[in-house]
């Protein structure tokens, strides 16, 4: 897990500090370009950036690696590995759309944080889970979430 400085500030603002200290996860310093995700030889199969700000998305589209998140995304693209970007902005400007198109053409998957409702989620958490389940599936893992046509 790589957490940007702004991401950590938002987590603290939302009073969710426990997310930054989960001992089951390995955290990389976003300023450490010697960390494993900075190199294609580390062999990571996929990467998801959640949420992905338009600033981060734009830097990835331009190939400007200012931190480990952007460098790791650049590695995913150059190695032709799975990169999923979950934009958090709305609405999108023309610049945002062009950057998303550029990244899509380079192999990234753009998956907006838009919940689905055909599973009839009964809470905000369940609606949010439709997004996370979708991203987990895009990473090639089984999320065990709703599957169209499986309801009976």
């Amino acid at each position: 897990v790589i957490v940007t400085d702004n991401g950590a500030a938002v987590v603290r603002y939302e009073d969710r500090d426990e997310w930054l200290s989960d001992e089951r996860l390995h955290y990389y310093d976003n300023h450490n370009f010697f960390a494993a995700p900075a190199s294609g030889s580390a062999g990571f199969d996929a990467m998801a950036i959640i949420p992905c700000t338009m600033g981060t998305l734009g830097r990835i589209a331009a190939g400007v690696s200012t931190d480990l998140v952007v460098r790791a995304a650049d590695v995913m693209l150059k190695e032709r590995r799975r990169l999923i970007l979950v934009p958090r902005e709305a609405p999108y400007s023309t610049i945002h759309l062009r950057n998303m198109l550029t990244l899509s053409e380079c192999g990234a998957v753009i998956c907006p944080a838009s919940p689905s409702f055909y599973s009839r989620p009964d809470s905000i958490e369940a609606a949010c889970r439709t997004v996370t389940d979708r991203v987990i599936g895009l990473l090639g893992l089984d999320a065990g979430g709703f599957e169209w046509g499986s309801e009976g």
Side-chain angles (χ1 to χ4, degrees):
V1 175
I2 306 166
V3 180
T4 64
D5 294 342
N6 284 336
V10 170
V11 166
R12 284 190 293 278
Y13 177 79
E14 293 175 347
D15 198 25
R16 306 264 185 201
D17 283 340
E18 71 275 7
W19 291 358
L20 298 176
S21 60
D22 189 329
E23 294 180 8
R24 297 171 296 173
L25 303 174
H26 181 84
Y27 291 90
Y28 294 98
D29 180 346
N30 191 39
H31 304 288
N32 183 3
F33 280 82
F34 290 97
S39 174
S41 67
F44 291 103
D45 295 324
M47 177 181 184
I49 301 177
I50 308 170
C52 186
T53 66
M54 287 301 148
T56 296
L57 195 141
R59 286 187 293 282
I60 297 167
V64 179
S65 298
T66 55
D67 58 27
L68 184 58
V69 168
V70 178
R71 171 60 189 162
D74 187 36
V75 167
M76 290 293 115
L77 292 174
K78 79 180 186 69
E79 298 290 335
R80 304 291 192 256
R81 297 180 186 155
R82 180 63 54 130
L83 175 62
I84 298 109
L85 305 173
V86 184
R88 66 179 193 96
E89 311 265 345
Y92 299 134
S93 75
T94 302
I95 293 168
H96 299 157
L97 293 167
R98 286 183 180 142
N99 286 336
M100 285 188 261
L101 177 60
T102 295
L103 289 167
S104 180
E105 290 171 339
C106 292
V109 175
I110 309 298
C111 181
S114 303
S116 61
F117 295 97
Y118 45 75
S119 63
R120 296 187 177 100
D122 58 0
S123 67
I124 296 294
E125 290 80 11
C128 292
R129 202 168 30 257
T130 68
V131 176
T132 56
D133 287 351
R134 181 67 182 242
V135 173
I136 290 168
L138 288 168
L139 287 169
L141 304 170
D142 181 16
F146 177 83
E147 292 183 19
W148 188 259
S150 66
E151 66 274 3

